[in-house]
Amino acid sequence: GLTASVLGVAPFTSLRAIFLWVFCVIGAYISAAELPKDMAFKAIFRTLAVMTVLSALAALLIPALGTTGEMGSQFWRGVYTNKNQLGWISSLFLLIAVGMHNRARWKITTFVVLVAIACLWKSGSKGALMACLITFMYLGLVSLLRSKVTPALGVAAVSVALFSFLVFGFFVLPALLAVLGKDPTFTGRTFIWSSYLNSMFNSPFFGEGPASYTYLSELTAPLAMRLVRLGAIVTPHNAFLGAFGDGGIFGLLSFAGVLLYLAIVSPFLRNDRATLICAGVAFLNMAHGMVETHEVFSAGFGWFLMVFFRTLSLRQQERNGQDVGAAPSAQAIASRAGH
């Protein structure tokens, strides 16, 4: 990101985005490293619960503030600037609330989960809704596998399943939808992706710097004018394309590598709640990132939560006197499966 900033079209804008990202990550690390674990869990849960309940109240009691009109329909945006932000934060909260469920607090947890579901549904953010559903299915698969197989076999099985899903999505689904006269994303995003990708090939190695393609800039403004019939398209509506445009192939590999490790590899190396929640947030970032541009080289709640729960997981491993990267042995897994 720093290299791309110096070589990009707007170095000072890019450096500002990078430094804000650094402050976000440091804040997440310090919060999780210094607070007692139970207090850290409660702080995150209560913060998200308050934001979610306030969003629902704003939409219901102050519609002029808490709702937004698009295409002749009213959608909730709550205390955020747009409906997609409400959908994104609500999907994150659902993952965390379910992952942190506590029998002693089941009533309040059930209430806020229902409010989060209402916010996600009423936001009209179809991308966030689908990404959340896919993420829960993925976590169910990971939870099943990591208690029955070795880490290597679990990672391989999940990787093959995801690769098969991507092959179907990229090669089979478009052909099926073409027969029905539909765009693969139902929203014209494939045309948006191709337009942005053609521009990004001008700087394929280090890109044009953070925030050059993931925000309104001198590069995205002309593209947005060409795509004006589809709306205000000032980003590629794909986080991986955004990473490629901002940081080139090196930026894309860095961004995708972190998400893939946290979502696929990490949950098979550490068998604790914080790691599973972190894996869910990382996978949700990938799934939602296929249709929206967010939090690539910029500060955001997704990055905050990934670093926060990753830090809690490492603290727990160190407290237990285990090697941070140690995987459970095949014998231990077989013993658990036998019991």
Side-chain angles (χ1 to χ4, degrees), residues 77 79-90 123 125:
R77 69 178 181 185
V79 296
Y80 304 100
T81 58
N82 59 69
K83 67 184 187 68
N84 287 333
Q85 283 187 343
L86 174 61
W88 170 238
I89 300 297
S90 298
S123 71
S125 181

Side-chain angles (χ1 to χ4, degrees), residues 66-71 73-90 119-128 189 288 292:
T67 63
T68 180
E70 291 185 17
M71 298 178 291
S73 301
Q74 287 294 115
F75 300 102
W76 288 10
R77 69 178 181 185
V79 296
Y80 304 100
T81 58
N82 59 69
K83 67 184 187 68
N84 287 333
Q85 283 187 343
L86 174 61
W88 170 238
I89 300 297
S90 298
C119 287
L120 179 57
W121 181 262
K122 296 293 289 184
S123 71
S125 181
K126 296 182 178 64
R189 275 180 169 80
H288 194 237
E292 293 292 345

